[in-house]
Amino acid sequence: MNYRDLEAVRQIVNNATGLDISYAYEDLVFPEHGAFIIQFNEDSNEKLHCYFHEDCIAKDAANIFANLKNESEKRKCELQREGAYNFEQVGENIQIRFL
């Protein structure tokens, strides 16, 4: 199992957006409000992936991503923009669906 620097991601998100992390589970980090999520790369500690909620306005997503990427680069991390995601209710559970 790779070391995942949650504190570095918390600082990236907070400095770029002013948001805090509301939840982290396995390789996913959920900032407040759910506009985007960050995923740790399975093979490299220096790479992160960013997914935006399907309802996030494209212009807002572009601005947020630019700020996140800038903060990531300051910490020698590579942030890649991936696709979209949404939440789906499955019985009593909520499932993340990557689009």
Side-chain angles (χ1 to χ4, degrees), residues 29-48:
V29 179
F30 299 85
E32 296 173 308
H33 307 298
F36 64 95
I37 57 177
I38 302 290
Q39 182 179 39
F40 288 98
N41 185 287
E42 186 176 301
D43 299 323
S44 173
N45 294 329
E46 290 81 33
K47 291 184 181 180
L48 301 168

Side-chain angles (χ1 to χ4, degrees), residues 15 25 33-34 36 47-48 67 73 78 82 89-90 96:
N15 289 346
Y25 180 75
H33 307 298
F36 64 95
K47 291 184 181 180
L48 301 168
N67 291 339
E73 289 171 353
E78 178 185 343
E82 304 295 345
Q89 184 81 30
V90 179
I96 299 171

Side-chain angles (χ1 to χ4, degrees), residues 12-77:
I12 289 168
V13 169
N14 188 266
N15 289 346
T17 66
L19 299 173
D20 287 321
I21 301 303
S22 61
Y23 188 70
Y25 180 75
E26 293 185 8
D27 64 341
L28 297 174
V29 179
F30 299 85
E32 296 173 308
H33 307 298
F36 64 95
I37 57 177
I38 302 290
Q39 182 179 39
F40 288 98
N41 185 287
E42 186 176 301
D43 299 323
S44 173
N45 294 329
E46 290 81 33
K47 291 184 181 180
L48 301 168
H49 306 276
C50 182
Y51 297 84
F52 284 88
H53 191 275
E54 67 179 349
D55 292 337
C56 188
I57 297 168
K59 182 178 176 182
D60 294 340
N63 289 335
I64 292 168
F65 182 75
N67 291 339
L68 289 168
K69 187 164 183 66
N70 184 42
E71 286 297 321
S72 296
E73 289 171 353
K74 289 178 184 177
R75 288 172 175 73
K76 309 282 191 261
C77 290

